[in-house]
Amino acid sequence: MRRTACQRRCGWLLALIGIALLAGCTNLLRLSADTRETRERLRILEGNLEAPTCAECPLIVVVLGDESPPVVHNFRVFERSGSFRIAALRESRHLFAFQDTNRDFSYQPGEPAAWHELAGTRFEGLTATDIALRLGGPLVRPAPPGMLNLFELRGATLGRVDVQMGQLATLEDERFSPAAAEMGVWEPVRFMKQGNAGIFFLEPYDAARTPVLFIPGINGTPRDFTDLIRALDRRRFQPWVMHYPSGLDLRALGDGLVGLMAELRLRHAFSSLHVVAHSMGGLVGREFVAECARGRTCGYLRQFISISTPFSGEATAGLGVAYAPVVVPVWRNLAPGSPFLDHLFDEPLPGDVEHHLLFSFRNESGLRRGSGDGVIPLASQLRPEAQAQASTLRGFDDDHMSVLENPAVHQLVNELLGTGGRSGRVLRQ
């Protein structure tokens, strides 16, 4: 079983070489159609949020259509004033932003707010970058009706191209199947429309236990963490799992995760969070940490534990970029020397966040030569910048997938989580 799972991952990566030569490949046709739909339907809105009365209070930006009453196309929670980024539909007409001072996901009269009309906004390609929202002055028009309990709209916005938030699920859920994971690579929009994407709870939220967010790698699912989650100390921790379309750009995924966690924190007011990520999920996690540092947010984040992560990328992804007629967006990130990888460590870890780097080095796949775990070369897992900022560095004689089943890994993860993110030590073994 272990060899089968590992070979499935190894084969998927090496198949990039073959894919690059098959212009008529079914997967590429699916990706092309999915990319075209995204380009035709979505736009990105960026700018700055200013709230003079309370710069540290949470804000909600809502994208609205022009119907009467206006229909919510999308919304995003921000922990504080500063830069913002949000997706909109081409038919979106307005932005309405407000400070949710009583944390009820609803606009109440008297809460600082602002409008922005999208008509006349200058776009470069699909992106508008200079939108300014200053909250607190007189509203140019009455607040839109229906700004009540926005959290309940999750899964019903952006034409159902959305994410699920805090839904209860089991690891046996069909959304976490290998077929769904493959869809997330080749058809990310369809993946989201079918309700596969989001942050899922494996048990009801418990304010007395600290959440641990598990992030799988490319073509992976939360099921990859079955043994590790089973070994988690459930007296102290509650498992959350991220399921995402792993073919998407990693910068967008990291930025999006900041928004999702801000929304969950507004709802549940948790004070601490730990992140455990495997393979490419570690790149998502590291970009999430970087986005937190840039925005001076995520004060709840305590630890980032990466397992077998390609911090220097993966060479076969570069072949896909060079030769495939349609490129999976994440390949551009994973190609060694990509702008994403070059700047991944530009932003240092926030002072209160520890990174624990776990790597694997058993190569029995028969598909790759050299040091590594059969999928990720050791040099990529042990990128010098990653080692330099890690509080813990520990290697395991496992292949890329069996490392998640190793009881010694389970014990170490529980030990690290038990320190609460303030171990005050450097472990090098």
Side-chain angles (χ1 to χ4, degrees):
M1 180 66 70
R2 292 179 180 179
R3 289 293 302 276
T4 300
C6 187
Q7 288 173 343
R8 176 168 62 85
R9 293 301 164 80
C10 298
W12 189 90
L13 286 166
L14 293 177
L16 292 174
I17 300 172
I19 288 169
L21 303 176
L22 297 175
C25 175
T26 300
N27 281 342
L28 293 179
L29 294 175
R30 291 157 58 194
L31 176 63
S32 179
D34 206 79
T35 303
R36 184 171 58 253
E37 179 179 353
T38 301
R39 187 170 56 249
E40 291 173 352
R41 293 214 63 194
L42 300 183
R43 299 192 294 183
I44 300 297
L45 309 176
E46 298 179 353
N48 191 69
L49 285 166
E50 184 179 354
T53 57
C54 185
E56 305 298 324
C57 293
L59 307 97
I60 300 179
V61 177
V62 187
V63 182
L64 298 162
D66 208 20
E67 296 86 350
S68 183
V71 173
V72 174
H73 288 175
N74 195 16
F75 72 91
R76 179 169 176 174
V77 177
F78 297 88
E79 286 190 31
R80 48 168 313 191
S81 298
S83 61
F84 77 91
R85 187 173 190 267
I86 191 169
L89 296 174
R90 282 187 175 270
E91 58 266 29
S92 299
R93 293 293 178 263
H94 319 281
L95 290 181
F96 180 73
F98 67 96
Q99 283 197 309
D100 191 14
T101 55
N102 63 353
R103 309 176 73 89
D104 68 348
F105 277 92
S106 304
Y107 172 72
Q108 308 293 339
E111 290 180 327
W115 279 94
H116 178 83
E117 306 300 322
L118 293 176
T121 298
R122 183 171 60 87
F123 282 81
E124 294 183 5
L126 301 177
T127 305
T129 60
D130 56 356
I131 297 173
L133 291 168
R134 181 180 174 86
L135 283 66
L139 290 177
V140 297
R141 56 189 293 184
M147 293 292 98
L148 301 175
N149 206 359
L150 289 168
F151 190 88
E152 300 304 324
L153 292 177
R154 273 294 165 212
T157 58
L158 275 184
R160 298 201 69 79
V161 180
D162 212 328
V163 295
Q164 312 303 310
M165 294 294 292
Q167 283 194 9
L168 285 175
T170 68
L171 292 176
E172 291 72 36
D173 195 302
E174 188 62 26
R175 287 176 290 196
F176 303 155
S177 68
E182 182 180 351
M183 185 194 306
V185 176
W186 301 107
E187 298 175 278
V189 174
R190 180 172 170 236
F191 177 93
M192 291 186 283
K193 283 184 175 180
Q194 292 194 359
N196 296 320
I199 307 294
F200 296 87
F201 293 0
L202 300 184
E203 55 194 36
Y205 177 75
D206 181 358
R209 291 182 293 148
T210 301
V212 180
L213 178 66
F214 292 87
I215 309 177
I218 190 169
N219 210 35
T221 83
R223 290 183 188 176
D224 296 341
F225 293 107
T226 296
D227 292 324
L228 187 50
I229 289 174
R230 184 180 296 123
L232 184 69
D233 182 357
R234 302 290 267 270
R235 298 167 302 174
R236 302 179 60 183
F237 305 105
Q238 54 188 309
W240 297 356
V241 295
M242 181 179 179
H243 197 30
Y244 63 98
S246 61
L248 289 185
D249 180 86
L250 294 177
R251 291 164 297 190
L253 289 169
D255 173 68
L257 182 54
V258 173
L260 299 182
M261 297 313 301
E263 187 171 330
L264 283 172
R265 189 161 187 251
L266 184 61
R267 184 173 182 88
H268 296 297
F270 56 88
S271 59
S272 297
L273 173 80
H274 306 295
V275 174
V276 177
H278 175 243
S279 192
M280 192 189 77
L283 297 180
V284 177
R286 186 59 181 84
E287 179 64 14
F288 165 64
V289 174
E291 290 288 347
C292 290
R294 293 184 193 108
R296 294 182 293 120
T297 58
C298 314
Y300 52 81
L301 185 58
R302 298 290 174 259
Q303 296 185 85
F304 165 48
I305 302 175
S306 64
I307 305 172
S308 308
T309 292
F311 288 113
S312 291
E314 167 50 51
T316 49
L319 294 174
V321 172
Y323 297 109
V326 182
V327 176
V328 178
V330 75
W331 295 354
R332 300 187 190 279
N333 304 136
L334 289 174
S338 69
F340 171 80
L341 291 173
D342 282 350
H343 296 287
L344 182 62
F345 292 92
D346 285 359
E347 202 69 45
L349 292 173
D352 293 337
V353 178
E354 290 185 345
H355 177 200
H356 306 289
L357 192 160
L358 283 54
F359 62 96
S360 46
F361 53 84
R362 182 190 299 167
N363 185 359
E364 297 179 347
S365 70
L367 298 173
R368 289 182 179 272
R369 296 179 179 177
S371 62
D373 61 8
V375 176
I376 307 300
L378 202 56
S380 185
Q381 297 182 59
L382 295 177
R383 178 174 172 172
E385 295 95 324
Q387 293 190 60
Q389 51 94 70
S391 299
T392 301
L393 187 65
R394 174 75 73 87
F396 294 90
D397 184 13
D398 286 289
D399 65 36
H400 192 64
M401 297 305 297
S402 69
V403 67
L404 296 177
E405 303 169 1
N406 187 336
V409 173
H410 306 162
Q411 179 179 348
L412 178 59
V413 169
N414 271 310
E415 177 187 342
L416 293 170
L417 294 176
T419 67
R422 296 177 178 81
S423 65
R425 66 187 180 123
V426 176
L427 175 63
R428 306 272 181 172
Q429 290 188 354

